[in-house]
Amino acid sequence: MDTSRTALCAVSLAVNGRHFSFDIPPWVTLLDLLRGDMELTGTKKGCDHGQCGACTVLIDGERVNSCLKLAVTLDGAEITTIEGLGTPDDMHPMQKAFVEHDAFQCGYCTPGQICSAVGLVNEGHARSREQIRELMSGNLCRCGAYTNIADAIEDVLAQETVLPHREAAE
């Protein structure tokens, strides 16, 4: 396909607290922009069909499968990836809980699981383990670490920690 005649689209995003501007083809997904142009490879490409949740990021505080979002539709949005939640020296409470509860095995799905869990807490709908499991059902783990993932989320919910964007969800 000859892309030399394709009109590029301007898009500006705040990613992990930093502002970026891009001129991109209209078909570029947020996932491909993050992993390719921005080299933020913590967000994983799993199924590329929105069925596994490995690519989950926070868009304006809400969890979204980045493989399903065209980057051009997000002009002005605030994106938070796993790299923007915390650092090894200053981990986000959810990252700490995942480590403390051994809520990962191979680790491939972990960034999406953590971003989804942060979004779940921000939403404020999970009041029980059953609700946590249901609300996290869009994030698959081939290793089967679901019990430990639910334990980690319950731990953070019990801490009543105010996480980024929680105020907006209330």
Side-chain angles (χ1 to χ4, degrees), residues 31-45:
L31 173 62
D32 289 335
L33 182 66
L34 292 170
R35 289 186 59 80
D37 293 12
M38 300 189 73
E39 298 181 358
L40 294 172
T41 57
T43 304
K44 303 301 184 204
K45 184 177 272 206

Side-chain angles (χ1 to χ4, degrees), residues 63 94 116-136 150 153-158 160 166:
R63 54 196 173 141
M94 192 63 72
S116 188
V118 169
L120 176 147
V121 171
N122 290 345
E123 292 163 9
H125 301 301
R127 302 281 184 253
S128 68
R129 188 173 187 88
E130 293 75 30
Q131 289 173 332
I132 290 169
R133 292 175 65 86
E134 177 62 28
L135 293 167
M136 288 294 292
I153 296 168
E154 280 184 323
D155 186 35
V156 172
L157 284 170
E160 297 181 359
R166 186 169 189 170

Side-chain angles (χ1 to χ4, degrees), residues 10-66:
V11 63
S12 295
L13 302 170
V15 180
N16 299 331
R18 295 181 52 212
H19 292 279
F20 297 90
S21 294
F22 301 96
D23 291 316
I24 56 174
W27 58 78
V28 173
T29 65
L30 176 59
L31 173 62
D32 289 335
L33 182 66
L34 292 170
R35 289 186 59 80
D37 293 12
M38 300 189 73
E39 298 181 358
L40 294 172
T41 57
T43 304
K44 303 301 184 204
K45 184 177 272 206
C47 66
D48 221 15
H49 295 287
Q51 297 174 343
C52 72
C55 66
T56 304
V57 298
L58 300 172
I59 300 177
D60 296 326
E62 296 181 16
R63 54 196 173 141
V64 175
N65 290 339
S66 61

